[in-house]
Amino acid sequence: MPVPDKLVVRQIALEIYGGCNYKCPMCPQTDGREADFLKRMPFEVFKKVVDEGKTLGVEVVSLQGSGEPTIHPEMPKFVAYVKSQGLQCISLTNGFMLTPKLSRELIEAGLDILRISAIGYDRESYAKWMDKDAYEKVREQVREFLRIDRELGAKTELTLYHLVMDDTKIDAEVAQYRKNWIEHCGAPGEVWKMHNWGGQYEDIPYHRSGMTKRSCGRPASPYLTVRAGGLGGHTAAVVPCCFVLGQDSKAVLGHLDTNTIAEVVAGAPYHDLRDKHAKGDFDSIDYCKNCDQLYDAPESLVWTNIPGKKYGQSKVLQDLDYRKWTV
């Protein structure tokens, strides 16, 4: 998996805040994220990454990583800058801080897509899995966002993201999600099986006996994941993917506050990661060896009514399928 002669990066997941206001039991943020990564992304560093990305072919900037972007008090400013460069801008949030004021500011800044992550199909299950009694609050804030968006000319697409909590009750849970979130809020959505955060949790919900590991494709794809924080006082650490949350320090491939994207992608750590994926040497990579993303499991996307949505696809670019880069 060598670096191509002409480096192309089409999408950047650019985290602007490393902390979170939730303590979900299925998320490594619950045990406390590594302190080096609990930072705000400096705006000047953000601009540097976006500007460099644009020269390399970036089409989409995602204000997401593993932290909650709405905690950053200047989130609309970050969205506006992405849009000023003629790029698509998307984000993922738990929706707790999505007040009418922030909703209006994000829509007016030009946010293209907002994904709401909500685990739990009723008040009780939401409180259990999101560790906050905010089921009604978030649902109504989603409805209000959609109302404001219609008022402003339907500029931002909102979609819902949910996880199945019990694999023995998939149909029942999907039915509840459809009724209580998708139909109630009036927005399309997707329901997935849970993943194991790069092997940090023992359960691999769609690991089947006899399945063969293969590269997830991410190390060689034109998709870059950038954290708000970094090691040794740095910010904008590049990591292989979002699933290394909780073990970011093991997975840093370089820092974009002091290096260029091209330098990091062509650097020794990134080269070593791509080489090991090409050889199928996953066991020597601590954060990859037990990751459930090494198995091809289209059934992990159990239901969706988002047009064009399919397993393996990036959040926006429908022709950017990670499996194209698997070996």
Side-chain angles (χ1 to χ4, degrees):
M1 294 184 183
V3 180
D5 293 336
K6 180 174 173 52
L7 176 63
V8 175
V9 179
R10 298 185 60 197
Q11 186 167 338
I12 301 179
L14 192 45
E15 184 180 67
I16 63 173
Y17 186 79
C20 189
N21 51 351
Y22 275 56
K23 295 292 184 182
C24 308
M26 72 296 192
C27 177
Q29 287 272 18
T30 302
D31 297 324
R33 193 176 188 182
E34 296 165 294
D36 283 338
F37 296 89
L38 294 173
K39 297 178 181 177
R40 291 183 186 177
M41 169 70 73
F43 186 65
E44 290 305 313
V45 176
F46 178 86
K47 288 176 61 178
K48 172 184 178 295
V49 177
V50 172
D51 292 349
E52 287 180 13
K54 185 177 178 181
T55 68
L56 297 172
V58 164
E59 302 165 52
V60 181
V61 175
S62 316
L63 305 189
Q64 63 188 72
S66 296
E68 173 53 47
T70 60
I71 296 176
H72 198 301
E74 295 185 304
M75 183 180 177
K77 177 181 177 181
F78 286 74
V79 173
Y81 186 75
V82 174
K83 297 305 299 175
S84 75
Q85 300 306 299
L87 307 175
Q88 273 195 294
C89 187
I90 72 176
S91 193
L92 171 68
T93 174
N94 55 45
F96 184 80
M97 298 184 69
L98 197 63
T99 63
K101 179 177 182 294
L102 179 58
S103 294
R104 185 174 295 273
E105 289 174 348
L106 291 174
I107 295 167
E108 290 178 339
L111 185 64
D112 292 289
I113 300 174
L114 183 64
R115 301 173 69 232
I116 305 291
S117 177
I119 317 307
Y121 49 77
D122 57 19
R123 182 177 178 180
E124 181 181 7
S125 58
Y126 182 96
K128 175 183 177 181
W129 287 99
M130 302 293 280
D131 196 39
K132 197 181 292 287
D133 187 10
Y135 172 74
E136 295 294 352
K137 173 180 178 174
V138 173
R139 290 200 311 162
E140 293 317 301
Q141 288 188 163
V142 169
R143 287 165 61 96
E144 181 64 8
F145 182 98
L146 291 168
R147 187 198 67 75
I148 295 170
D149 187 45
R150 289 192 295 269
E151 174 192 315
L152 295 177
K155 298 179 179 180
T156 303
E157 176 187 345
L158 184 146
T159 64
L160 301 167
Y161 172 85
H162 308 293
L163 292 177
V164 168
M165 297 165 288
D166 185 342
D167 278 5
T168 68
K169 300 178 180 178
I170 289 177
D171 290 344
E173 290 198 13
V174 168
Q176 290 297 307
Y177 276 127
R178 292 179 64 177
K179 175 184 176 182
N180 296 337
W181 281 99
I182 292 161
E183 294 173 12
H184 176 83
C185 294
E190 55 193 302
V191 183
W192 292 77
K193 293 185 178 183
M194 290 192 183
H195 57 79
N196 72 355
W197 285 110
Q200 293 180 80
Y201 299 116
E202 291 185 3
D203 291 341
I204 303 179
Y206 43 86
H207 179 184
R208 299 287 183 266
S209 177
M211 288 181 70
T212 301
K213 288 183 179 179
R214 49 75 172 134
S215 172
C216 64
R218 289 174 175 83
S221 74
Y223 187 113
L224 200 68
T225 301
V226 184
R227 299 308 204 191
L231 300 175
H234 284 284
T235 57
V238 177
V239 296
C241 65
C242 64
F243 300 108
V244 300
L245 172 65
Q247 48 187 344
D248 288 288
S249 61
K250 301 176 183 177
V252 172
L253 302 169
H255 295 93
L256 298 181
D257 57 349
T258 52
N259 290 105
T260 66
I261 293 173
E263 287 170 341
V264 172
V265 173
Y270 223 134
H271 175 80
D272 183 58
L273 176 66
R274 287 191 298 268
D275 185 57
K276 287 177 177 175
H277 268 249
K279 295 176 179 177
D281 182 17
F282 309 116
D283 287 347
S284 66
I285 310 169
D286 190 62
Y287 52 84
C288 288
K289 61 184 179 182
N290 294 317
C291 181
D292 54 19
Q293 301 300 303
L294 294 176
Y295 298 93
D296 193 46
E299 70 274 17
S300 62
L301 175 57
V302 298
W303 183 90
T304 184
N305 66 344
I306 299 174
K309 182 68 181 180
K310 61 183 180 180
Y311 171 81
Q313 184 186 86
S314 86
K315 303 298 186 297
V316 175
L317 299 171
Q318 294 187 2
D319 63 330
L320 202 172
D321 190 319
Y322 294 119
R323 290 175 295 177
K324 287 172 59 178
W325 287 272
T326 59
V327 293

